[in-house]
């Protein structure tokens, strides 16, 4: 297994700030926003981005984000047991 990269190594030689990259990737993964809509949202904030740029960011950084975020998540759905409730109605 390879050594995890630091944030500086992860975002080295990138044209945009890492906050912009993280924001775009997070919004794309979390919300149902298309790449073109996301580039329009960034244009409203004064950033000129092509939708293909955001696609490259998602392909590059999504696996790393998942790897880092999975450490903090709690596993769910591992129990196969179901609680049963018995009700007595009129003595039955």
């Amino acid at each position: 297994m390879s050594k995890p990269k630091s944030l500086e190594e992860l975002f080295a030689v990138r044209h945009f700030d890492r906050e912009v990259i993280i924001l775009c990737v997070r919004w794309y993964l979390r919300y149902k926003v298309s790449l073109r809509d996301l580039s329009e949202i960034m244009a409203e904030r004064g950033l000129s981005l092509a939708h293909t740029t955001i696609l490259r960011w998602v392909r590059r950084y999504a696996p790393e984000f998942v790897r880092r975020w999975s450490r903090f998540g709690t596993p769910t759905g591992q129990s196969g047991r179901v609680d049963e409730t018995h009700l007595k109605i009129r003595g039955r």
Side-chain angles (χ1 to χ4, degrees):
M1 203 160 145
S2 65
K3 179 184 172 196
K5 296 180 181 179
S6 68
L7 286 179
E8 288 77 23
E9 293 173 347
L10 194 62
F11 293 100
V13 281
R14 294 291 167 191
H15 181 72
F16 290 95
D17 291 337
R18 74 174 174 216
E19 288 83 15
V20 173
I21 296 172
I22 291 170
L23 185 68
C24 288
V25 174
R26 179 177 171 263
W27 282 358
Y28 181 77
L29 294 175
R30 174 62 179 96
Y31 305 107
K32 302 295 183 195
V33 180
S34 71
L35 294 170
R36 293 181 192 269
D37 289 340
L38 195 52
S39 65
E40 284 182 21
I41 292 170
M42 290 297 125
E44 290 174 357
R45 285 160 174 74
L47 295 171
S48 178
L49 289 173
H51 67 280
T52 55
T53 302
I54 299 171
L55 176 65
R56 282 189 226 115
W57 289 346
V58 169
R59 287 183 179 169
R60 165 90 166 88
Y61 294 110
E64 183 67 29
F65 291 169
V66 168
R67 188 172 22 258
R68 288 175 185 240
W69 290 334
S70 65
R71 289 185 290 164
F72 302 107
T74 56
T76 59
Q78 292 183 353
S79 175
R81 290 170 272 156
V82 177
D83 292 333
E84 295 182 11
T85 304
H86 296 282
L87 298 175
K88 283 189 175 184
I89 300 175
R90 294 185 188 168
R92 295 183 190 172

